[in-house]
Amino acid sequence: MKKILVTGAGGFVGARILEMWRGRFELSAFPPDFLRTADETAVRRFITAERPDVIVHTAALSNTQVCQQHPEESFRANVLLPEWVAAAAAETGAKLLSFSSDQVYAGVQQPGPLAEALPLSPANVYGRHKLEAEARVMTRCPDAVALRLPWMYDLPGGRLPIRGNLPLNLLRAALKGEAVRFSRNDFRSVTYVRQVIENLEPAMDLPGGVYNFGSGNAEDMVCTARQFAKALGITVKIAEESWERNLVMDAAKLERSGIRFAATQQGIRCCLQDYGLSDL
């Protein structure tokens, strides 16, 4: 049985990894709050003592606004920490899956799905730090797999941590009678987190490199929000904005390795089926 160390095990993705992989792998995690203050020596010593076969590095400071306001904290959490983990992975021979973000594409002007090799200059601190982390991780551990994750979602349940996401935001707005704001010129992938976790297992066999890792989406976010609301069986007011963004990721490289995601619109149906809500 493979031994897998999950960083960020108390977070949105990490907690679900532990839940979904319980009994299938030998799972381990850092002690609570350890990574908030640990230095490089402590991080590498812990990993060396654990001797995992695989490290799934999900820990991050992912609130883009907080990162913008506190760049030093973002640099430590989103650049230095993954670099330290990568160094330990190289020393111990562990396969590293390191989470990155679609925010590395923030500020890209071209339309259509965006490929991994595109020259990038992210428009926000979080995106810049994630891009720098990718480079540092690959330098320290060339066999590492850096996964660019999109906006992920799940429904509440099982006492697992939850955070703002598309279906949850729509449900809350519908209950409060409030409008949600989306732009006709905003394009991004939106992915069911449990599909991400299912695809992490085959990702352990990927050659080292950077991969877009999530659902495709051919629709703008106004249309996407309406499709999600319809699938959820709710009525919610959507205020249309005009600001521009493109974070849609090209999945061709990942698909050539045999890993595929359901499209954004299919993903919400899979989510509802998992929760026994497919008749909504």
Side-chain angles (χ1 to χ4, degrees), residues 2-11 13-18 21 25-30 35 47 52-60 81-82 85-86 89 94-100 144-147 149 196-204 213:
K2 283 184 179 177
K3 183 175 185 179
I4 298 179
L5 171 64
V6 181
T7 75
V13 182
R16 285 164 173 79
I17 291 175
L18 295 184
W21 286 0
F25 301 104
E26 181 184 351
L27 300 170
S28 66
F30 284 93
L35 294 176
I47 293 173
D53 299 299
V54 179
I55 302 171
V56 183
H57 179 60
T58 75
L81 181 55
V85 172
K95 182 69 175 184
L96 173 61
L97 306 185
S98 184
F99 277 27
S100 186
V145 173
L147 302 174
L149 277 298
V196 168
I197 296 168
E198 288 170 0
N199 279 333
L200 287 177
E201 187 171 354
M204 296 176 195
F213 204 74

Side-chain angles (χ1 to χ4, degrees), residues 97-260:
L97 306 185
S98 184
F99 277 27
S100 186
S101 169
D102 62 358
Q103 290 293 324
V104 300
Y105 295 112
V108 169
Q109 299 298 313
Q110 74 178 53
L114 307 172
E116 293 89 345
L118 190 71
L120 298 174
S121 182
N124 57 51
V125 167
Y126 180 67
R128 290 197 292 273
H129 285 169
K130 281 295 188 178
L131 187 63
E132 183 174 350
E134 289 178 4
R136 293 193 182 205
V137 164
M138 300 311 302
T139 296
R140 289 292 193 108
C141 185
D143 188 47
V145 173
L147 302 174
R148 292 177 177 171
L149 277 298
W151 193 16
M152 292 177 282
Y153 65 89
D154 198 2
L155 298 180
R159 298 184 178 179
L160 292 168
I162 195 72
R163 66 185 184 193
N165 60 62
L166 181 55
L168 191 60
N169 293 351
L170 293 171
L171 288 164
R172 286 173 173 168
L175 286 171
K176 294 180 179 180
E178 298 175 347
V180 287
R181 299 181 178 277
F182 292 99
S183 172
R184 284 283 186 185
N185 301 311
D186 181 23
F187 299 87
R188 69 182 308 184
S189 305
V190 186
T191 303
Y192 181 30
V193 67
R194 294 178 184 272
Q195 290 188 342
V196 168
I197 296 168
E198 288 170 0
N199 279 333
L200 287 177
E201 187 171 354
M204 296 176 195
D205 296 322
L206 288 172
V210 177
Y211 296 83
N212 291 333
F213 204 74
S215 300
N217 190 7
E219 306 289 351
D220 63 67
M221 284 305 298
V222 170
C223 183
T224 300
R226 287 178 175 158
Q227 291 167 332
F228 270 56
K230 182 178 180 180
L232 291 164
I234 60 174
T235 300
V236 59
K237 182 179 178 181
I238 296 177
E240 296 190 21
E241 303 284 350
S242 59
W243 49 274
E244 298 182 1
R245 178 175 60 179
N246 180 23
L247 300 179
V248 175
M249 300 187 295
D250 185 344
K253 180 180 178 182
L254 188 69
E255 290 177 354
R256 287 195 295 271
S257 297
I259 300 176
R260 289 175 171 79

